[in-house]
Amino acid sequence: MWQAVRLALGTASALGLARFAYGLLLPAMRDDLRWTLAEAGAMSAANGLGYLLGALVTAAVVRRSGVTAAFRRGMAGTAVALAATAISDDFAVLLVVRAAAGAAGAVVFIAGGVIASRIATRVGSGTPITVYFAGAGLGIAFGGVAIPLLGDGWRAAWVVLGVAAGLAALVSWTAARADGEAPAATAGRARVRPLWRVASAYALFALGYITYITFLSAYLVERRAPTWQVVLTWAALGLAVVAAPVLWSRPIAAWPGARALATLLGVLGGGAALALVAPAPLVILGSAIVYGATFMGVPAAVTALIRDAVPAADLTATLAAFTTLFAAGQTAGPWLAGLVADRTSTDATLAWTAVLCALAAVIAVSPRRRRSARRAPRPRPAAPARPRRGS
């Protein structure tokens, strides 16, 4: 379990710092660089596009160098990309750097997921998987406390995030070790078709969930929320992610089929909608806690479903295929939601998350169509035997 905890610094870096912390920096960068909400969403979409490209090459990287080396290189690349975000205010350069952070983060996400799945198989428990994904909460909580205290200094914030990601890479370095591992001749075969319903729900989740955490700070700033409320909201969200394994490890492991996945998606959609009820600090805090306690449980549930459904040799390729779908959804989500929000308000970004996650829950829980069994043809009555001659 200690190995899984240190490995969880992978999602803390690749997700909590490299992706979700941008939502905290969005208001300061938007004001300083004079972005529209669509441009701010495009920056998040660039990170998602890089994540998509990283997901496409991860199987080849694992095939060439092994899952341990892939994880370590991804962690180092994430730290460098985060620190490099502070070097320029040119929109095109920032797009490229954010895409690089996404690509490195995808390698970490997939390789770490494979290692966590191996740990889970070894100890006979699904808890290492939920612990691994809960690591994102550490990054969110760190950013939620550190970034608002830096005020409008978004360049210094990116440097701080880069240093934190570098430290996470050092601590998790030995946790990714797989004794006796050799680069595989093949990364296996991606098996998406048997899990198409899960894949569809996962794609909708990716399209929807990212807009909430991308625009949450903009939503708070638009309502003139004080710094203490921003810090409290993000810290609570991150700590809720860390606490998620306590809530969801048993349902993910014990509930049949995709019931746990559907429940997670339904609660997540309700949590996003809660913030639209009233702009009161306690309501928004409750929304953030519900969101944090569920959203990283979705990839954990999907990973557990994949682990149970496909042969071990196909795990890396299948996880990479699902991450590709996930990356495609989260690439388009912030940009599309930003376009809608520019014409309405930031409320639209939270409604976007609520509606798409609710739809994903319906798809995940909908019963499978059973193939109608072919009725066996009725046996024809036996023809009367002809009397033999001479009888």
Short mmCIF file of all heavy atoms in Angstrom, two decimals, residues 327-359:
data_model
loop_
_atom_site.label_atom_id
_atom_site.label_comp_id
_atom_site.label_asym_id
_atom_site.label_seq_id
_atom_site.Cartn_x
_atom_site.Cartn_y
_atom_site.Cartn_z
N ALA A 327 -9.16 11.68 -23.44
CA ALA A 327 -8.43 12.88 -23.84
C ALA A 327 -9.18 13.66 -24.91
O ALA A 327 -9.19 14.89 -24.90
CB ALA A 327 -7.04 12.51 -24.32
N ALA A 328 -9.79 12.95 -25.84
CA ALA A 328 -10.55 13.63 -26.90
C ALA A 328 -11.71 14.41 -26.30
O ALA A 328 -11.98 15.56 -26.69
CB ALA A 328 -11.07 12.60 -27.90
N GLY A 329 -12.39 13.83 -25.33
CA GLY A 329 -13.50 14.52 -24.68
C GLY A 329 -13.07 15.75 -23.91
O GLY A 329 -13.65 16.82 -24.04
N GLN A 330 -12.00 15.63 -23.13
CA GLN A 330 -11.58 16.76 -22.32
C GLN A 330 -10.85 17.82 -23.14
O GLN A 330 -10.64 18.93 -22.67
CB GLN A 330 -10.71 16.30 -21.16
CG GLN A 330 -9.35 15.81 -21.55
CD GLN A 330 -8.51 15.49 -20.32
OE1 GLN A 330 -9.03 15.43 -19.21
NE2 GLN A 330 -7.23 15.29 -20.51
N THR A 331 -10.46 17.48 -24.37
CA THR A 331 -9.89 18.49 -25.26
C THR A 331 -10.98 19.42 -25.76
O THR A 331 -10.83 20.65 -25.77
CB THR A 331 -9.19 17.83 -26.45
OG1 THR A 331 -8.11 17.02 -25.97
CG2 THR A 331 -8.64 18.87 -27.42
N ALA A 332 -12.09 18.85 -26.18
CA ALA A 332 -13.18 19.67 -26.75
C ALA A 332 -14.02 20.35 -25.68
O ALA A 332 -14.53 21.46 -25.90
CB ALA A 332 -14.07 18.78 -27.62
N GLY A 333 -14.17 19.73 -24.50
CA GLY A 333 -15.08 20.23 -23.49
C GLY A 333 -14.87 21.67 -23.06
O GLY A 333 -15.79 22.50 -23.15
N PRO A 334 -13.67 22.06 -22.59
CA PRO A 334 -13.49 23.44 -22.11
C PRO A 334 -13.69 24.49 -23.20
O PRO A 334 -14.23 25.57 -22.93
CB PRO A 334 -12.03 23.44 -21.60
CG PRO A 334 -11.72 22.02 -21.37
CD PRO A 334 -12.48 21.25 -22.39
N TRP A 335 -13.24 24.19 -24.40
CA TRP A 335 -13.38 25.17 -25.48
C TRP A 335 -14.85 25.37 -25.84
O TRP A 335 -15.32 26.50 -25.97
CB TRP A 335 -12.60 24.70 -26.71
CG TRP A 335 -12.76 25.63 -27.88
CD1 TRP A 335 -12.33 26.91 -27.99
CD2 TRP A 335 -13.42 25.32 -29.11
NE1 TRP A 335 -12.67 27.43 -29.23
CE2 TRP A 335 -13.33 26.48 -29.93
CE3 TRP A 335 -14.05 24.17 -29.62
CZ2 TRP A 335 -13.89 26.51 -31.21
CZ3 TRP A 335 -14.59 24.22 -30.89
CH2 TRP A 335 -14.51 25.37 -31.67
N LEU A 336 -15.60 24.27 -25.98
CA LEU A 336 -17.02 24.38 -26.31
C LEU A 336 -17.79 25.07 -25.19
O LEU A 336 -18.63 25.94 -25.44
CB LEU A 336 -17.61 22.98 -26.57
CG LEU A 336 -17.09 22.25 -27.81
CD1 LEU A 336 -17.62 20.83 -27.85
CD2 LEU A 336 -17.49 23.01 -29.08
N ALA A 337 -17.50 24.68 -23.95
CA ALA A 337 -18.18 25.32 -22.82
C ALA A 337 -17.80 26.79 -22.72
O ALA A 337 -18.63 27.63 -22.35
CB ALA A 337 -17.82 24.59 -21.52
N GLY A 338 -16.56 27.12 -23.05
CA GLY A 338 -16.13 28.52 -23.04
C GLY A 338 -16.88 29.35 -24.07
O GLY A 338 -17.25 30.51 -23.81
N LEU A 339 -17.11 28.77 -25.24
CA LEU A 339 -17.89 29.48 -26.26
C LEU A 339 -19.30 29.78 -25.77
O LEU A 339 -19.83 30.88 -25.96
CB LEU A 339 -17.95 28.64 -27.54
CG LEU A 339 -16.67 28.53 -28.38
CD1 LEU A 339 -16.88 27.57 -29.54
CD2 LEU A 339 -16.24 29.91 -28.89
N VAL A 340 -19.90 28.77 -25.14
CA VAL A 340 -21.26 28.96 -24.60
C VAL A 340 -21.25 30.01 -23.49
O VAL A 340 -22.13 30.88 -23.42
CB VAL A 340 -21.83 27.63 -24.08
CG1 VAL A 340 -23.18 27.84 -23.42
CG2 VAL A 340 -21.95 26.62 -25.22
N ALA A 341 -20.24 29.94 -22.61
CA ALA A 341 -20.18 30.87 -21.48
C ALA A 341 -19.96 32.31 -21.94
O ALA A 341 -20.45 33.25 -21.31
CB ALA A 341 -19.07 30.44 -20.52
N ASP A 342 -19.20 32.52 -23.03
CA ASP A 342 -18.98 33.87 -23.55
C ASP A 342 -20.30 34.52 -23.98
O ASP A 342 -20.44 35.74 -23.94
CB ASP A 342 -18.01 33.83 -24.74
CG ASP A 342 -16.55 33.86 -24.29
OD1 ASP A 342 -16.27 34.41 -23.22
OD2 ASP A 342 -15.70 33.32 -25.03
N ARG A 343 -21.26 33.69 -24.40
CA ARG A 343 -22.55 34.20 -24.86
C ARG A 343 -23.59 34.21 -23.75
O ARG A 343 -24.68 34.74 -23.93
CB ARG A 343 -23.03 33.38 -26.05
CG ARG A 343 -22.21 33.63 -27.30
CD ARG A 343 -22.39 32.53 -28.34
NE ARG A 343 -21.69 32.82 -29.58
CZ ARG A 343 -20.39 32.69 -29.74
NH1 ARG A 343 -19.63 32.28 -28.73
NH2 ARG A 343 -19.81 32.98 -30.90
N THR A 344 -23.27 33.57 -22.62
CA THR A 344 -24.22 33.54 -21.50
C THR A 344 -23.51 34.01 -20.22
O THR A 344 -23.37 35.19 -19.99
CB THR A 344 -24.79 32.13 -21.32
OG1 THR A 344 -23.70 31.18 -21.21
CG2 THR A 344 -25.64 31.73 -22.52
N SER A 345 -23.04 33.07 -19.42
CA SER A 345 -22.28 33.39 -18.21
C SER A 345 -21.52 32.14 -17.79
O SER A 345 -21.69 31.06 -18.39
CB SER A 345 -23.23 33.82 -17.08
OG SER A 345 -23.99 32.72 -16.62
N THR A 346 -20.69 32.26 -16.75
CA THR A 346 -19.95 31.10 -16.28
C THR A 346 -20.86 30.03 -15.68
O THR A 346 -20.42 28.90 -15.47
CB THR A 346 -18.90 31.52 -15.23
OG1 THR A 346 -19.54 32.33 -14.23
CG2 THR A 346 -17.77 32.30 -15.88
N ASP A 347 -22.11 30.36 -15.40
CA ASP A 347 -23.07 29.35 -14.95
C ASP A 347 -23.18 28.21 -15.96
O ASP A 347 -23.40 27.05 -15.59
CB ASP A 347 -24.45 29.96 -14.74
CG ASP A 347 -24.51 30.87 -13.52
OD1 ASP A 347 -23.42 31.20 -12.99
OD2 ASP A 347 -25.62 31.24 -13.11
N ALA A 348 -23.02 28.55 -17.24
CA ALA A 348 -23.16 27.55 -18.29
C ALA A 348 -22.11 26.46 -18.17
O ALA A 348 -22.37 25.30 -18.53
CB ALA A 348 -23.07 28.21 -19.66
N THR A 349 -20.92 26.78 -17.65
CA THR A 349 -19.87 25.76 -17.53
C THR A 349 -20.24 24.71 -16.49
O THR A 349 -19.94 23.53 -16.66
CB THR A 349 -18.53 26.42 -17.17
OG1 THR A 349 -18.66 27.11 -15.91
CG2 THR A 349 -18.11 27.42 -18.23
N LEU A 350 -20.89 25.14 -15.40
CA LEU A 350 -21.30 24.18 -14.38
C LEU A 350 -22.49 23.35 -14.86
O LEU A 350 -22.58 22.14 -14.60
CB LEU A 350 -21.67 24.92 -13.09
CG LEU A 350 -20.61 25.86 -12.52
CD1 LEU A 350 -21.06 26.38 -11.16
CD2 LEU A 350 -19.27 25.18 -12.42
N ALA A 351 -23.41 24.00 -15.58
CA ALA A 351 -24.54 23.26 -16.14
C ALA A 351 -24.06 22.24 -17.16
O ALA A 351 -24.62 21.13 -17.26
CB ALA A 351 -25.52 24.24 -16.78
N TRP A 352 -23.04 22.59 -17.92
CA TRP A 352 -22.45 21.68 -18.91
C TRP A 352 -22.00 20.39 -18.22
O TRP A 352 -22.30 19.28 -18.68
CB TRP A 352 -21.28 22.39 -19.57
CG TRP A 352 -20.51 21.62 -20.59
CD1 TRP A 352 -19.54 20.69 -20.35
CD2 TRP A 352 -20.60 21.72 -22.03
NE1 TRP A 352 -19.03 20.20 -21.53
CE2 TRP A 352 -19.66 20.82 -22.57
CE3 TRP A 352 -21.38 22.49 -22.88
CZ2 TRP A 352 -19.49 20.68 -23.94
CZ3 TRP A 352 -21.20 22.35 -24.25
CH2 TRP A 352 -20.28 21.44 -24.77
N THR A 353 -21.29 20.52 -17.11
CA THR A 353 -20.81 19.35 -16.37
C THR A 353 -21.98 18.53 -15.85
O THR A 353 -21.99 17.30 -15.97
CB THR A 353 -19.92 19.80 -15.19
OG1 THR A 353 -18.77 20.46 -15.69
CG2 THR A 353 -19.49 18.60 -14.35
N ALA A 354 -22.98 19.20 -15.27
CA ALA A 354 -24.11 18.48 -14.68
C ALA A 354 -24.87 17.67 -15.71
O ALA A 354 -25.19 16.48 -15.49
CB ALA A 354 -25.05 19.49 -14.00
N VAL A 355 -25.15 18.26 -16.86
CA VAL A 355 -25.96 17.58 -17.89
C VAL A 355 -25.20 16.40 -18.49
O VAL A 355 -25.74 15.29 -18.62
CB VAL A 355 -26.37 18.59 -18.98
CG1 VAL A 355 -27.01 17.87 -20.16
CG2 VAL A 355 -27.33 19.63 -18.42
N LEU A 356 -23.94 16.60 -18.86
CA LEU A 356 -23.19 15.54 -19.54
C LEU A 356 -22.89 14.37 -18.59
O LEU A 356 -22.95 13.20 -19.01
CB LEU A 356 -21.90 16.09 -20.13
CG LEU A 356 -22.08 17.02 -21.33
CD1 LEU A 356 -20.74 17.52 -21.83
CD2 LEU A 356 -22.82 16.30 -22.47
N CYS A 357 -22.61 14.66 -17.33
CA CYS A 357 -22.35 13.56 -16.39
C CYS A 357 -23.63 12.78 -16.09
O CYS A 357 -23.59 11.56 -15.93
CB CYS A 357 -21.74 14.11 -15.10
SG CYS A 357 -20.03 14.65 -15.30
N ALA A 358 -24.76 13.48 -16.03
CA ALA A 358 -26.03 12.78 -15.84
C ALA A 358 -26.33 11.87 -17.02
O ALA A 358 -26.79 10.73 -16.85
CB ALA A 358 -27.14 13.80 -15.64
N LEU A 359 -26.08 12.36 -18.23
CA LEU A 359 -26.29 11.54 -19.42
C LEU A 359 -25.36 10.33 -19.43
O LEU A 359 -25.76 9.21 -19.78
CB LEU A 359 -26.07 12.39 -20.68
CG LEU A 359 -26.25 11.69 -22.03
CD1 LEU A 359 -27.66 11.11 -22.16
CD2 LEU A 359 -25.97 12.67 -23.17
#
